[in-house]
Amino acid sequence: MVDSALQQLRERLRGRVITAADDEYDQARRVNNAMIDRHPRLIVRPANSGDVMAAVDFARDNSLDLAVRGGGHSVPGFGTCDDGVVIDLSRMRGVRVDPVRRLARADGGATWGDFNAATYPFGLATTGGIISTTGIAGLTLGGGIGYLTRSLGLSCDNLVAADVVTADGQFLLASAQDNADLYWAIRGGGGNFGVVTSFEFRLSPVADIYGGPVFFELERARDVLEFYRDFITSADHQLAVFPAFQIAPPLPFIPPDRHGDLLVGLVSCWAGPLSEGPSMVAPIRDVAPVVAEFLGPMPYPALNTAFDALVPPGMQQYWKANFARELTDPAVDAHLEFGPRLPALNSTVHIYPVNGACNEVAGDATAFAYRDTTFATVIAGIWPDPADNAQNISWVRDYYSAIAPHSEEAGYINFMSGDDQARTEDNYSANYERLVAIKKKYDPGNLFHLNQNIRPE
Ligand code: FAD
């Protein structure tokens, strides 16, 4: 790459190019996971889709690695690279709501916090992540599991259209009418097919929900898991519940003498009529004596931000995941062996329900293949001090090895680590060959390879 090429890129852009010569470079190269310490040659912060087209052309024509960053939450750090180009969409975060047609158009760099803040005033929402700082882009492209999955499906099930800049620098619409193969692939196939500069989501009436966390003594973890596995198979689809192993943070609703104790929790979200909330969550409160709870009516965006402080940027992170059709007795035993060894306050284990509306979509209707499974488990190792990396990574790996025999081969790609690339094919199951064919069509040179990669060959 010569200076003149970089100069030409700068002249094409409305947005900014940041290099090591700029003061903000060190800040701009960082992603959420502090374990990832990469030095891109340049970071492009586009102002619009035209800038994205220019940056894609630049990376391709100069044979540079290309990383695409939405919210920057990828645990393996796919939103950055060494010596290549990063397209960082963090300046493209606008959200426009059409309350009449119940649609929202969001730019590719928006977070769920941006999105929910824009839709809540209209009493509308779509399925997003549990944490508000996660990007809508990476989360939706990989599937999208959250509080509303059982009632509205995955985030990608609510994606009705997208604007995509493909590897040849072209701008394409993707919807049921336009480039339907691309539209199919980006609903679960991750960032393999191009840079999505804008997402259009279907919205549903969700404003205030009834829910929050309830914590029990760790000794009651077996009761909690056994209750959950039965309850969730028949619970109303407008109710989400998931169990969590969690060290009690210093929050006002937790008795001060319990701060720092390892507890087991059930987090719920009832998205139906508010008046029915207390009776809907009553069985959850009855599982065992309650140690602490923060349960009640609240705006949906309040629940979506409730746990943000537990996962600030700058933590070390290493995660593993898999799907499970059932939470069998041996699986519960494995959770009871490793959950109580949770080594850090920021770490957690969640067993999300992915039944309900998510299961009502056919396995080949979108790239997200696992439509006949019930649980998506994530072992989220999150801790502050790099000196503790070996201990925390071992805990995640040992835990994963213990539950793997009782789970599917596959896991949710967005919860995977960098060392899970070999599992990509399993994760797409029967949809893999179709994804490879679409990859060959839109990205034959595998320009978009910094992801859970679907190789075109
Ligand atoms: P980024 O790091 O920016 O990108 C991740 C991947 O998506 C990369 O491969 C990137 O190239 C690609 N990508 C990003 N933007 C674009 C774009 N505009 N066009 C094309 N490709 C793009 N997942 C859930 O389903 N539910 C949850 O509740 C949930 N909670 C999470 C909480 C935390 C604290 C974290 C760290 C992760 C969580 N995840 C959750 C996982 C999350 O879905 C993935 O980490 C996801 O990749 C994050 O998207 P992002 O845009 O923030 O990440």
Side-chain angles (χ1 to χ4, degrees):
M1 185 182 72
V2 287
D3 285 350
S4 62
L6 182 55
Q7 187 52 33
Q8 278 171 11
L9 175 67
R10 287 189 199 273
E11 285 166 10
R12 254 184 95 175
L13 293 180
R14 177 78 178 162
R16 263 178 68 65
V17 176
I18 299 165
T19 68
D22 293 299
D23 289 345
E24 70 223 88
Y25 175 76
D26 257 335
Q27 187 58 37
R29 71 185 180 81
R30 286 186 208 295
V31 288
N32 190 255
N33 183 356
M35 207 185 270
I36 310 295
D37 182 24
R38 300 199 179 122
H39 293 78
R41 201 177 299 186
L42 45 115
I43 300 159
V44 179
R45 289 205 169 136
N48 54 41
S49 296
D51 284 359
V52 173
M53 291 155 74
V56 168
D57 286 344
F58 181 85
R60 189 197 55 243
D61 293 347
N62 291 284
S63 304
L64 291 168
D65 265 351
L66 175 60
V68 182
R69 190 188 307 165
H73 267 203
S74 159
V75 173
F78 291 136
T80 189
C81 60
D82 274 326
D83 205 32
V85 176
V86 172
I87 298 179
D88 169 6
L89 294 159
S90 59
R91 298 287 155 86
M92 290 176 60
R93 295 169 65 156
V95 183
R96 179 185 184 270
V97 178
D98 175 345
V100 176
R101 294 166 64 221
R102 289 189 176 163
L103 294 171
R105 254 291 161 191
D107 290 338
T111 62
W112 288 106
D114 297 326
F115 190 89
N116 295 333
T119 62
Y120 177 74
F122 298 98
L124 298 168
T126 199
T127 305
I130 302 292
I131 301 293
S132 81
T133 50
T134 305
I136 63 162
L139 184 137
T140 301
L141 295 170
I145 297 171
Y147 290 114
L148 304 176
T149 306
R150 294 187 78 243
S151 53
L152 303 179
L154 299 168
S155 304
C156 72
D157 297 333
N158 294 281
L159 183 68
V160 294
D163 296 343
V164 187
V165 175
T166 45
D168 55 3
Q170 299 298 303
F171 175 92
L172 298 179
L173 303 180
S175 70
Q177 292 76 38
D178 305 288
N179 302 300
D181 54 353
L182 184 59
Y183 175 56
W184 179 86
I186 62 171
R187 285 176 294 156
N192 274 285
F193 304 94
V195 186
V196 179
T197 56
S198 166
F199 295 79
E200 187 168 65
F201 290 97
R202 183 185 313 113
L203 301 174
S204 300
V206 177
D208 292 353
I209 55 84
Y210 194 97
V214 182
F215 286 109
F216 308 97
E217 298 291 357
L218 185 62
E219 294 71 44
R220 303 304 296 268
R222 183 178 295 281
D223 299 314
V224 169
L225 294 183
E226 289 182 355
F227 159 81
Y228 169 66
R229 70 177 173 190
D230 297 335
F231 181 72
I232 205 65
T233 53
S234 58
D236 190 299
H237 288 185
Q238 292 186 93
L239 182 64
V241 186
F242 63 85
F245 287 101
Q246 185 72 58
I247 294 175
L251 292 174
F253 76 92
I254 300 177
D257 62 329
R258 302 310 305 269
H259 294 173
D261 288 355
L262 182 53
L263 302 172
V264 60
L266 284 168
V267 182
S268 62
C269 174
W270 165 250
L274 266 193
S275 58
E276 295 173 20
S279 61
M280 283 295 167
V281 303
I284 294 168
R285 301 183 69 245
D286 289 346
V287 174
V290 171
V291 174
E293 66 175 32
F294 189 73
L295 203 54
M298 63 182 91
Y300 172 68
L303 185 59
N304 182 233
T305 50
F307 304 109
D308 287 5
L310 286 174
V311 284
M315 293 280 141
Q316 311 288 307
Q317 299 204 33
Y318 182 81
W319 295 21
K320 282 210 174 286
N322 47 26
F323 291 122
R325 284 198 168 80
E326 286 179 68
L327 206 47
T328 59
D329 288 342
V332 169
D333 290 343
H335 282 290
L336 294 179
E337 186 181 350
F338 286 93
R341 296 188 202 167
L342 190 108
L345 180 132
N346 308 88
S347 293
T348 192
V349 178
H350 291 171
I351 309 174
Y352 295 113
V354 285
N355 58 356
C358 180
N359 282 179
E360 286 162 9
V361 177
D364 62 356
T366 68
F368 188 96
Y370 275 79
R371 300 295 188 162
D372 55 356
T373 195
T374 312
F375 304 107
T377 305
V378 58
I379 306 157
I382 307 173
W383 64 98
D385 189 348
D388 299 330
N389 286 8
Q391 180 207 356
N392 283 274
I393 291 171
S394 292
W395 171 73
V396 174
R397 288 190 173 145
D398 293 348
Y399 198 139
Y400 171 76
S401 299
I403 61 171
H406 317 295
S407 310
E408 304 286 313
E409 287 283 318
Y412 173 39
I413 59 150
N414 274 351
F415 291 157
M416 296 273 159
S417 274
D419 55 15
D420 280 318
Q421 286 283 352
R423 297 175 67 199
T424 305
E425 190 168 345
D426 286 332
N427 295 343
Y428 289 113
S429 181
N431 288 338
Y432 189 70
E433 289 310 316
R434 190 168 165 192
L435 282 164
V436 171
I438 298 170
K439 177 78 173 175
K440 262 186 201 154
K441 177 175 167 187
Y442 289 99
D443 185 16
N446 206 6
L447 181 66
F448 299 106
H449 65 277
L450 296 174
N451 41 47
Q452 300 292 350
N453 196 223
I454 296 161
R455 286 190 299 278
E457 69 274 11

